[in-house]
Amino acid sequence: MSARAPAAWLAVPGALDAPTGGYAYARRVLRAAGGLLGHLPLPGGFPDPSPAQIEGALKALSLARGPVAIDGLALGVLPAEGVAALAGPVIGLLHHPLGLETGLEPARARALLQSEGAALRACAAVVTTSAATARAAAELFALDPARVHVAPPGLARAAPARGAEPGAPRLILGVGALTPRKGWDVLLRALAALGPGAWRCAIVGAHDRDPAEAARLRALIAQLGLEERATLTGALDAPALERMFARADIFCLPSRYEGYGMAAAEAMMRALPVVATHAVREAAPPGAALLVPPDDPEALADALALLLSRPEARRRLAQAARAHAMTLPDWDETARRILRVVRDVRGAPSAAARA
């Protein structure tokens, strides 16, 4: 990191090395910014913090000098009046609205959307990780579209996957935390519909984000008789995940909702044919991936069966995936976009001064 003071701070709750896409985004942006963004740790517990964790977060934020970008996992549940009282301009970093998370009770979803909207309106600017999220945020939260900016996840160059050894079962790989939003239950039902064949599936993702969902998925694997074919590996470190990508033949992301879909883009960089839902279309557009409706195990099974049974279809889709991935921005570009927003708001008054 540079010896000089950062141009702005990126405030992230909990452990920065947590194995999720949002934390990976923060880590890589901080690295790419080369010291122009400083890491401001906030207490863990978000998006369900205790009063003490909220107090600790606001105290940490109050000590920051200059602009501060607050990760949406924390921002969405911080009191808007506390955000507005901060001395410097605030940038909201929004991966996707918290209130749109799958499986929330309606009252909880409404409360999160109300809280998040109030906090975002107290920000000098908002940075989203996709154009779709930018549009949704402007509409859901009545934000001025001119204050909403897009800094999509970067994509590091990577070698194409080798795939399974000749004669070995084809590996269908999924990557993402075991939460209802990711749709892993839909994938498991699709796998059960495939029937016999030379394939296996590994789902890589943290079990502790939603332990109840992880338990439901383990029970579903047993119920569907997939114990010998489908594995929930848990979270893997970077080298182990890279080895898993290298051995994969097909990548699947059956999400019900995504802000972007970083894992699908990473699979495409590795020339993996991708089967996903329309929720991932910004990262994996039609033509570069096979897209099916969310919550449709039959359509998902048909797409997987097509790729498993037709090597030429796998090869063509792998080429299209790799070609698309090579057009996507790298992390340096993502950091530049955020730093442009920092530059634009640096002289802006705080929310308290604007009031």
Side-chain angles (χ1 to χ4, degrees):
M1 179 177 287
S2 167
R4 63 183 175 181
W9 299 93
L10 177 56
V12 185
L16 192 60
D17 61 354
T20 70
Y23 283 96
Y25 183 101
R27 290 193 300 272
R28 292 165 184 170
V29 162
L30 286 166
R31 188 180 307 127
L36 293 175
L37 279 178
H39 174 215
L40 178 62
L42 300 181
F46 291 89
D48 297 295
S50 67
Q53 288 167 330
I54 291 176
E55 182 181 356
L58 291 174
K59 181 177 180 180
L61 290 164
S62 72
L63 298 176
R65 295 293 175 262
V68 58
I70 306 176
D71 185 89
L73 193 64
L75 179 67
V77 290
L78 288 176
E81 60 273 18
V83 174
L86 296 175
V90 175
I91 300 166
L93 176 58
L94 181 63
H95 298 279
H96 65 83
L98 296 175
L100 298 186
E101 187 72 30
T102 302
L104 294 174
E105 292 293 331
R108 173 64 171 157
R110 287 193 298 271
L112 283 171
L113 290 173
Q114 182 178 8
S115 170
E116 193 161 29
L120 287 168
R121 288 189 291 274
C123 294
V126 175
V127 172
T128 70
T129 56
S130 72
T133 300
R135 292 190 295 270
E139 181 177 346
L140 273 173
F141 304 127
L143 303 177
D144 177 0
R147 293 197 302 114
V148 182
H149 309 268
V150 180
L155 188 58
R157 296 291 186 261
R162 299 187 304 273
E165 296 296 327
R170 298 293 170 189
L171 173 60
I172 301 168
L173 176 64
V175 177
L178 303 190
T179 64
R181 179 169 59 84
K182 293 295 183 180
W184 300 125
D185 58 316
V186 183
L187 174 56
L188 293 175
R189 295 185 188 282
L191 295 175
L194 287 176
W199 59 266
R200 62 189 180 95
C201 178
I203 299 172
V204 177
H207 293 197
D208 57 358
R209 291 283 301 282
D210 189 334
E213 178 66 7
R216 282 192 291 269
L217 292 173
R218 287 191 289 269
L220 185 58
I221 287 172
Q223 176 189 330
L224 297 173
L226 293 172
E227 297 98 324
E228 301 301 318
R229 288 175 173 264
T231 305
L232 306 177
T233 71
L236 298 178
D237 62 20
L241 179 57
E242 191 58 45
R243 290 192 293 272
M244 191 67 77
F245 269 120
R247 295 197 300 268
D249 298 279
I250 297 169
F251 184 85
C252 186
L253 188 59
S255 301
R256 294 179 167 98
Y257 178 82
E258 282 288 346
Y260 180 72
M262 283 175 58
E266 291 172 354
M268 297 171 85
M269 174 57 74
R270 291 161 175 83
L272 285 172
V274 170
V275 178
T277 67
H278 295 295
V280 191
R281 65 183 301 127
E282 190 162 339
L290 284 182
L291 301 184
V292 302
D295 269 313
D296 192 337
E298 293 82 7
L300 192 62
D302 288 345
L304 291 170
L306 171 69
L307 295 179
L308 287 167
S309 63
R310 294 175 55 184
E312 182 60 22
R314 283 201 308 274
R315 186 186 66 80
R316 287 197 303 269
L317 193 59
Q319 290 175 340
R322 175 79 171 184
H324 172 70
M326 296 297 285
T327 71
L328 297 176
D330 60 16
W331 286 103
D332 287 346
E333 174 60 21
T334 304
R336 281 193 292 269
R337 292 190 185 199
I338 294 174
L339 289 169
R340 281 199 292 269
V341 177
V342 168
R343 179 198 62 203
D344 291 345
V345 306
R346 194 165 180 81
S350 68
R354 294 197 306 268

Coordinates of all heavy atoms in Angstrom, one line a residue, residues 107-168:
A107 N -42.4 -9.3 5.7 CA -42.2 -8.2 6.5 C -40.7 -7.8 6.6 O -40.4 -6.6 6.6 CB -42.8 -8.4 7.9
R108 N -39.9 -8.8 6.7 CA -38.4 -8.6 6.7 C -37.9 -8.0 5.4 O -37.1 -7.0 5.4 CB -37.7 -9.9 7.0 CG -36.2 -9.8 6.9 CD -35.6 -8.9 8.0 NE -34.1 -9.1 8.0 CZ -33.3 -8.1 8.4 NH1 -33.8 -7.0 8.9 NH2 -32.0 -8.3 8.5
A109 N -38.4 -8.5 4.3 CA -38.1 -7.9 3.0 C -38.5 -6.4 2.9 O -37.7 -5.6 2.4 CB -38.7 -8.7 1.9
R110 N -39.7 -6.1 3.3 CA -40.1 -4.7 3.2 C -39.3 -3.8 4.1 O -38.9 -2.7 3.7 CB -41.6 -4.6 3.7 CG -42.6 -5.2 2.6 CD -44.0 -4.8 3.0 NE -44.4 -5.3 4.2 CZ -45.0 -6.5 4.4 NH1 -45.2 -7.3 3.3 NH2 -45.4 -6.9 5.6
A111 N -39.0 -4.3 5.3 CA -38.1 -3.5 6.3 C -36.8 -3.3 5.7 O -36.2 -2.1 5.8 CB -38.0 -4.2 7.6
L112 N -36.2 -4.3 5.1 CA -34.8 -4.1 4.5 C -34.9 -3.1 3.3 O -34.0 -2.3 3.2 CB -34.3 -5.5 4.0 CG -33.7 -6.4 5.1 CD1 -33.4 -7.8 4.5 CD2 -32.5 -5.8 5.7
L113 N -35.9 -3.2 2.5 CA -35.9 -2.3 1.3 C -36.1 -0.9 1.8 O -35.6 0.1 1.3 CB -37.1 -2.7 0.4 CG -36.9 -4.0 -0.4 CD1 -38.1 -4.4 -1.2 CD2 -35.7 -3.9 -1.4
Q114 N -37.0 -0.7 2.9 CA -37.2 0.7 3.4 C -35.9 1.2 4.0 O -35.5 2.4 3.8 CB -38.3 0.6 4.5 CG -38.6 2.0 5.1 CD -39.7 1.9 6.1 OE1 -40.2 0.8 6.4 NE2 -40.2 3.1 6.5
S115 N -35.2 0.4 4.8 CA -33.9 0.8 5.4 C -32.9 1.1 4.4 O -32.2 2.1 4.5 CB -33.5 -0.3 6.4 OG -32.2 0.0 6.9
E116 N -32.7 0.2 3.4 CA -31.7 0.4 2.4 C -32.0 1.6 1.6 O -31.0 2.4 1.2 CB -31.7 -0.9 1.5 CG -30.4 -0.9 0.6 CD -30.2 -2.3 0.1 OE1 -31.1 -3.1 0.0 OE2 -29.0 -2.7 -0.1
G117 N -33.2 1.9 1.2 CA -33.6 3.0 0.4 C -33.2 4.3 1.1 O -32.6 5.3 0.6
A118 N -33.5 4.4 2.4 CA -33.2 5.6 3.2 C -31.7 5.8 3.3 O -31.3 7.0 3.1 CB -33.8 5.5 4.6
A119 N -31.0 4.7 3.5 CA -29.5 4.9 3.6 C -28.9 5.3 2.3 O -28.0 6.2 2.2 CB -28.9 3.6 4.1
L120 N -29.4 4.7 1.2 CA -28.8 5.1 -0.1 C -29.1 6.5 -0.5 O -28.3 7.2 -1.2 CB -29.4 4.1 -1.2 CG -28.8 2.7 -1.2 CD1 -29.6 1.7 -2.0 CD2 -27.3 2.7 -1.6
R121 N -30.3 7.0 -0.1 CA -30.7 8.4 -0.4 C -29.8 9.4 0.3 O -29.7 10.5 0.0 CB -32.2 8.6 -0.2 CG -33.0 7.9 -1.3 CD -34.5 8.3 -1.2 NE -35.1 7.8 0.0 CZ -35.7 6.6 0.1 NH1 -35.7 5.8 -0.9 NH2 -36.2 6.2 1.3
A122 N -29.2 8.9 1.4 CA -28.3 9.8 2.2 C -26.9 9.8 1.6 O -26.0 10.6 2.1 CB -28.2 9.3 3.7
C123 N -26.6 9.0 0.6 CA -25.3 8.9 0.0 C -25.1 10.0 -1.1 O -26.1 10.4 -1.8 CB -25.1 7.5 -0.6 SG -25.0 6.2 0.6
A124 N -23.9 10.4 -1.3 CA -23.6 11.4 -2.4 C -23.6 10.7 -3.7 O -23.9 11.3 -4.7 CB -22.2 12.0 -2.1
A125 N -23.3 9.4 -3.7 CA -23.3 8.6 -5.0 C -23.5 7.1 -4.6 O -23.3 6.7 -3.5 CB -22.1 8.8 -5.8
V126 N -24.0 6.4 -5.6 CA -24.1 4.9 -5.4 C -23.4 4.2 -6.5 O -23.5 4.6 -7.7 CB -25.6 4.5 -5.5 CG1 -25.8 3.0 -5.4 CG2 -26.4 5.2 -4.3
V127 N -22.6 3.2 -6.2 CA -21.9 2.4 -7.2 C -22.5 1.0 -7.1 O -22.6 0.4 -6.0 CB -20.4 2.3 -6.9 CG1 -19.8 1.2 -7.8 CG2 -19.7 3.6 -7.1
T128 N -23.0 0.5 -8.3 CA -23.6 -0.9 -8.3 C -22.6 -1.7 -9.1 O -21.8 -1.2 -9.9 CB -25.0 -0.9 -9.0 OG1 -24.8 -0.6 -10.4 CG2 -25.9 0.2 -8.3
T129 N -22.8 -3.0 -9.0 CA -21.9 -4.0 -9.7 C -22.5 -4.5 -11.0 O -21.9 -5.3 -11.7 CB -21.6 -5.2 -8.8 OG1 -22.8 -5.8 -8.4 CG2 -20.8 -4.7 -7.6
S130 N -23.7 -4.0 -11.4 CA -24.2 -4.3 -12.7 C -25.2 -3.2 -13.2 O -25.7 -2.5 -12.3 CB -24.9 -5.7 -12.7 OG -26.1 -5.6 -11.9
A131 N -25.4 -3.2 -14.5 CA -26.4 -2.2 -15.0 C -27.8 -2.6 -14.5 O -28.6 -1.7 -14.3 CB -26.3 -2.2 -16.5
A132 N -28.1 -3.9 -14.4 CA -29.4 -4.3 -14.0 C -29.7 -3.8 -12.6 O -30.8 -3.3 -12.2 CB -29.5 -5.8 -14.1
T133 N -28.7 -3.9 -11.7 CA -28.8 -3.5 -10.3 C -28.9 -1.9 -10.3 O -29.7 -1.4 -9.5 CB -27.6 -3.9 -9.5 OG1 -27.6 -5.4 -9.5 CG2 -27.8 -3.5 -8.0
A134 N -28.2 -1.2 -11.2 CA -28.4 0.2 -11.2 C -29.8 0.6 -11.6 O -30.4 1.5 -10.9 CB -27.4 0.8 -12.2
R135 N -30.4 -0.1 -12.5 CA -31.8 0.3 -12.9 C -32.7 -0.1 -11.8 O -33.6 0.7 -11.5 CB -32.1 -0.5 -14.2 CG -31.4 0.0 -15.4 CD -32.0 -0.7 -16.7 NE -31.8 -2.1 -16.7 CZ -30.8 -2.7 -17.3 NH1 -29.8 -2.0 -17.8 NH2 -30.7 -4.0 -17.3
A136 N -32.5 -1.2 -11.2 CA -33.4 -1.7 -10.1 C -33.3 -0.7 -8.9 O -34.3 -0.4 -8.3 CB -33.1 -3.1 -9.7
A137 N -32.1 -0.3 -8.6 CA -31.9 0.6 -7.4 C -32.6 2.0 -7.7 O -33.2 2.5 -6.8 CB -30.4 0.8 -7.1
A138 N -32.4 2.5 -8.9 CA -33.0 3.8 -9.2 C -34.5 3.7 -9.1 O -35.1 4.6 -8.5 CB -32.6 4.2 -10.6
E139 N -35.1 2.6 -9.5 CA -36.5 2.5 -9.5 C -37.0 2.1 -8.1 O -38.0 2.8 -7.6 CB -37.0 1.4 -10.5 CG -38.5 1.2 -10.5 CD -38.9 0.2 -11.6 OE1 -38.1 -0.2 -12.4 OE2 -40.0 -0.3 -11.5
L140 N -36.4 1.2 -7.4 CA -36.9 0.7 -6.1 C -36.8 1.8 -5.0 O -37.6 1.9 -4.2 CB -36.1 -0.5 -5.6 CG -36.5 -1.9 -6.1 CD1 -35.4 -2.9 -5.6 CD2 -37.8 -2.3 -5.5
F141 N -35.7 2.6 -5.1 CA -35.3 3.5 -4.0 C -35.5 4.9 -4.4 O -35.1 5.8 -3.6 CB -33.9 3.2 -3.5 CG -33.7 1.8 -3.1 CD1 -32.6 1.0 -3.7 CD2 -34.5 1.2 -2.2 CE1 -32.4 -0.3 -3.3 CE2 -34.3 -0.2 -1.8 CZ -33.2 -0.9 -2.4
A142 N -36.1 5.2 -5.6 CA -36.3 6.6 -6.0 C -35.0 7.4 -6.0 O -34.9 8.5 -5.5 CB -37.4 7.3 -5.1
L143 N -33.9 6.8 -6.6 CA -32.7 7.5 -6.7 C -32.5 8.3 -8.0 O -33.1 7.8 -9.0 CB -31.5 6.5 -6.6 CG -31.5 5.6 -5.3 CD1 -30.3 4.6 -5.4 CD2 -31.3 6.4 -4.1
D144 N -31.8 9.3 -7.9 CA -31.5 10.1 -9.2 C -30.6 9.2 -10.0 O -29.5 8.9 -9.6 CB -30.8 11.4 -8.8 CG -30.4 12.2 -10.0 OD1 -30.6 11.7 -11.2 OD2 -29.9 13.3 -9.9
P145 N -31.0 8.8 -11.2 CA -30.1 7.9 -12.0 C -28.7 8.5 -12.3 O -27.7 7.8 -12.4 CB -30.8 7.8 -13.3 CG -32.3 8.0 -13.0 CD -32.3 9.0 -11.9
A146 N -28.6 9.9 -12.2 CA -27.3 10.5 -12.5 C -26.3 10.2 -11.3 O -25.1 10.4 -11.5 CB -27.5 12.0 -12.6
R147 N -26.9 9.8 -10.1 CA -26.0 9.6 -9.0 C -25.6 8.1 -8.9 O -25.0 7.7 -8.0 CB -26.7 10.0 -7.7 CG -26.8 11.5 -7.6 CD -27.1 11.9 -6.1 NE -28.3 11.3 -5.6 CZ -28.3 10.4 -4.6 NH1 -27.1 10.0 -4.0 NH2 -29.4 10.0 -4.1
V148 N -26.2 7.3 -9.8 CA -25.9 5.8 -9.7 C -25.0 5.4 -10.8 O -25.2 5.7 -12.0 CB -27.3 5.1 -9.9 CG1 -27.0 3.5 -9.8 CG2 -28.3 5.5 -8.9
H149 N -23.9 4.7 -10.4 CA -22.8 4.4 -11.4 C -22.6 2.9 -11.3 O -23.0 2.2 -10.4 CB -21.5 5.1 -10.9 CG -21.7 6.6 -10.7 ND1 -21.5 7.5 -11.7 CD2 -22.1 7.3 -9.6 CE1 -21.7 8.7 -11.2 NE2 -22.1 8.6 -10.0
V150 N -22.0 2.4 -12.4 CA -21.8 0.9 -12.5 C -20.3 0.6 -12.6 O -19.6 1.2 -13.4 CB -22.5 0.4 -13.8 CG1 -22.2 -1.1 -13.9 CG2 -24.0 0.7 -13.8
A151 N -19.8 -0.3 -11.7 CA -18.5 -0.8 -11.7 C -18.5 -2.3 -11.6 O -18.5 -2.9 -10.6 CB -17.7 -0.2 -10.5
P152 N -18.7 -2.9 -12.8 CA -18.9 -4.4 -12.8 C -17.6 -5.1 -12.3 O -16.5 -4.6 -12.4 CB -19.2 -4.8 -14.2 CG -18.6 -3.6 -15.0 CD -18.7 -2.4 -14.2
P153 N -17.8 -6.3 -11.8 CA -16.6 -7.1 -11.3 C -15.6 -7.2 -12.4 O -16.0 -7.5 -13.6 CB -17.2 -8.4 -10.9 CG -18.6 -8.1 -10.5 CD -19.0 -7.1 -11.5
G154 N -14.3 -7.1 -12.1 CA -13.3 -7.4 -13.0 C -13.2 -8.9 -13.2 O -13.8 -9.7 -12.5
L155 N -12.4 -9.3 -14.2 CA -12.2 -10.7 -14.6 C -10.7 -10.9 -14.9 O -10.2 -10.3 -15.9 CB -13.0 -11.1 -15.7 CG -13.1 -12.6 -16.1 CD1 -13.6 -13.4 -14.9 CD2 -14.0 -12.8 -17.3
A156 N -10.0 -11.6 -14.0 CA -8.6 -11.9 -14.3 C -8.5 -13.0 -15.3 O -9.3 -13.9 -15.5 CB -8.0 -12.4 -13.0
R157 N -7.4 -12.9 -16.1 CA -7.1 -13.9 -17.1 C -6.8 -15.2 -16.4 O -6.2 -15.3 -15.4 CB -5.9 -13.5 -18.0 CG -6.2 -12.2 -18.8 CD -7.2 -12.5 -19.9 NE -7.4 -11.4 -20.8 CZ -8.4 -10.5 -20.7 NH1 -9.3 -10.6 -19.8 NH2 -8.5 -9.5 -21.6
A158 N -7.3 -16.3 -17.1 CA -7.0 -17.7 -16.5 C -7.0 -18.6 -17.7 O -7.5 -18.4 -18.8 CB -8.2 -18.1 -15.6
A159 N -6.3 -19.7 -17.5 CA -6.1 -20.7 -18.5 C -7.4 -21.5 -18.7 O -8.2 -21.7 -17.7 CB -5.0 -21.7 -18.2
P160 N -7.7 -22.0 -19.9 CA -8.9 -22.8 -20.1 C -8.8 -24.1 -19.3 O -7.7 -24.6 -19.0 CB -8.8 -23.2 -21.6 CG -8.0 -22.1 -22.2 CD -7.0 -21.7 -21.2
A161 N -10.0 -24.6 -18.9 CA -10.1 -25.8 -18.1 C -9.6 -27.0 -18.9 O -9.8 -27.0 -20.1 CB -11.5 -26.0 -17.6
R162 N -9.1 -28.0 -18.3 CA -8.7 -29.2 -18.9 C -9.8 -30.2 -19.1 O -9.9 -31.0 -20.0 CB -7.5 -29.9 -18.2 CG -6.3 -29.1 -18.1 CD -5.1 -29.9 -17.5 NE -5.5 -30.5 -16.2 CZ -5.4 -29.9 -15.0 NH1 -4.9 -28.7 -15.0 NH2 -5.7 -30.5 -13.9
G163 N -10.7 -30.2 -18.1 CA -11.9 -31.1 -18.1 C -11.5 -32.5 -17.5 O -10.3 -32.7 -17.1
A164 N -12.4 -33.4 -17.6 CA -12.2 -34.7 -17.0 C -11.3 -35.5 -17.9 O -11.2 -35.2 -19.1 CB -13.6 -35.5 -16.9
E165 N -10.6 -36.4 -17.3 CA -9.7 -37.3 -18.1 C -10.6 -38.2 -19.0 O -11.7 -38.5 -18.7 CB -8.9 -38.2 -17.2 CG -7.9 -37.5 -16.3 CD -6.8 -36.8 -17.1 OE1 -6.5 -37.3 -18.1 OE2 -6.4 -35.7 -16.6
P166 N -10.0 -38.6 -20.2 CA -10.8 -39.5 -21.1 C -11.4 -40.7 -20.3 O -10.6 -41.4 -19.6 CB -9.8 -39.9 -22.1 CG -8.8 -38.8 -22.1 CD -8.7 -38.3 -20.7
G167 N -12.6 -41.0 -20.5 CA -13.3 -42.1 -19.9 C -13.8 -41.8 -18.5 O -14.6 -42.6 -18.0
A168 N -13.5 -40.7 -17.9 CA -13.9 -40.3 -16.5 C -15.3 -39.6 -16.7 O -15.6 -39.0 -17.7 CB -12.9 -39.4 -15.8

